[in-house]
Amino acid sequence: MVHIIKKGAPIYAMDKRNKPVATAKDGDRLIFEAYDCFEDQITDEAGAFEKLDWNRINPATGPVFVEGAEVGDILAVTIEKLDIGDTATLFTGPDAGVMGDELTENTIRRLPIKNGAIKFSEKIDLPLNKMIGVIGTAPAGEPVSCGTPDAHGGNMDCKEIGEGTTLFLPVNVAGALLAMGDCHAAMGDGEVSVCGAEVPCDITVTINVFKNKDWPTPFLVRDGKLSTIASAKTLDTASVMATKQMVHFVERYTDLTKGEAIHLLSLTGDLRVCQIVDPNKTARMELPLTYLTKWSTEELN
């Protein structure tokens, strides 16, 4: 069954008390209509910043109650299509991003998207790398702002969460309460300016519930790789967490010992930065699935 999840009443925190806007079942297809991270408030480059309502930043569409999803289960979200708008918005300025301490004025850009590229300037066309910035389930404890990533997912800003990706999220409360938004037409690892190429988007996904799986979440599978994702106050801590989570996969899906598993990651794993500009920083550890010799397509059935 296909469900269209309208964007008219977004949420700004992932919260077990959020009222579901729709109910879906295992195997259903969902289309989330999503605002950009500014809730489509910026329509021009001049004077737009002063008009911003900062209480409406990083909105997510949802949440969706998934029937049969119980605490301890894992929710798989397969991203089938990201149908983005035709204009990307970019912002940076004082106290924003990596260079915020050196900037004295805001820089806002509205860039056209044409023929599969972002027109960055007269001489620079950037290829699209469509991805979802905010995607997660409700945490079991206190609400978490949609601007903050954590163990439930949230604002991970991982550029690998795009078309063709299956993202695995924890079910912390009955029904999971899945929500998403903050899509980008492109973004590099780090998101150093404090945003990507922010766009409104219609997100088409298929959901599946997995039971009795001892998998550290969040993680994703894309293009023959498995990537563990972790968020923490510092990038150092997030990097260690993501690496340890990958060791769990290597131990389970190979015949290697823990010591051999960390050797393997030191030689073939890629530890990468997702973003360094949110309240929690996010890192991922990537490993080709070919090394996980006991992993098979049956794991995803």
Side-chain angles (χ1 to χ4, degrees):
M1 185 173 181
V2 178
H3 306 265
I4 298 177
I5 317 301
K6 297 290 186 180
K7 65 180 181 181
I11 60 173
Y12 303 97
M14 296 193 179
D15 185 350
K16 61 188 176 184
R17 293 178 287 269
N18 283 336
K19 183 178 179 180
V21 298
T23 298
K25 297 180 180 180
D26 181 36
D28 281 357
R29 177 174 287 137
L30 312 176
I31 301 173
F32 288 80
E33 297 178 353
Y35 295 103
D36 73 10
C37 79
F38 304 105
E39 205 172 307
D40 299 350
Q41 295 181 77
I42 296 179
T43 57
D44 60 77
E45 296 180 357
F49 181 80
E50 288 73 18
K51 305 172 188 175
L52 273 179
D53 180 351
W54 287 96
N55 293 317
R56 297 165 56 196
I57 301 300
N58 272 330
T61 302
V64 172
F65 185 96
V66 181
E67 291 184 359
E70 301 173 317
V71 175
D73 293 344
I74 291 175
L75 183 67
V77 183
T78 299
I79 303 162
E80 298 178 4
K81 184 178 181 183
L82 299 177
D83 187 8
I84 63 174
D86 60 7
T87 304
T89 302
L90 287 77
F91 160 79
T92 196
D95 301 320
V98 170
M99 298 299 295
D101 59 336
E102 297 187 22
L103 296 173
T104 58
E105 60 182 17
N106 298 315
T107 300
I108 295 175
R109 293 290 181 265
R110 296 269 291 164
L111 304 179
I113 299 171
K114 296 180 179 179
N115 302 319
I118 302 168
K119 193 71 177 179
F120 187 78
S121 69
E122 286 301 316
K123 296 183 178 180
I124 301 175
D125 284 348
L126 302 178
L128 296 181
N129 176 29
K130 298 183 288 183
M131 46 82 68
I132 302 172
V134 173
I135 180 169
T137 54
E142 293 301 308
V144 178
S145 165
C146 288
T148 301
D150 212 317
H152 69 292
N155 194 27
M156 295 178 288
D157 283 317
C158 172
K159 72 177 186 180
E160 293 298 312
I161 302 177
E163 292 177 341
T165 296
T166 299
L167 175 68
F168 297 81
L169 295 165
V171 177
N172 303 305
V173 300
L177 298 183
L178 174 68
M180 62 189 73
D182 179 36
C183 291
H184 305 144
M187 193 194 81
D189 281 335
E191 197 187 25
V192 293
S193 80
V194 84
C195 73
E198 308 290 337
V199 286
C201 185
D202 289 345
I203 307 166
T204 302
V205 303
T206 298
I207 55 171
N208 295 102
V209 178
F210 286 85
K211 296 182 178 293
N212 304 313
K213 295 291 187 181
D214 182 23
W215 292 334
T217 53
F219 76 96
L220 64 84
V221 173
R222 184 187 194 187
D223 294 337
K225 294 183 300 184
L226 190 149
S227 301
T228 50
I229 305 170
S231 300
K233 289 296 182 183
T234 69
L235 189 57
D236 286 351
T237 301
S239 299
V240 171
M241 290 169 60
T243 301
K244 288 186 173 183
Q245 289 166 3
M246 185 63 82
V247 169
H248 176 99
F249 276 103
V250 175
E251 283 188 286
R252 177 166 180 175
Y253 291 104
T254 71
D255 293 319
L256 301 178
T257 65
K258 189 184 297 291
E260 291 169 334
I262 195 63
H263 276 320
L264 178 69
L265 294 185
S266 194
L267 298 179
T268 64
D270 287 315
L271 182 61
R272 301 188 185 277
V273 174
C274 294
Q275 59 77 28
I276 58 170
V277 295
D278 294 334
N280 285 341
K281 318 309 178 190
T282 306
R284 69 182 184 274
M285 171 60 83
E286 302 178 344
L287 184 70
L289 280 169
T290 52
Y291 293 107
L292 301 178
T293 54
K294 294 184 178 180
W295 178 278
S296 70
T297 55
E298 293 180 2
E299 293 293 333
L300 304 182
N301 292 329

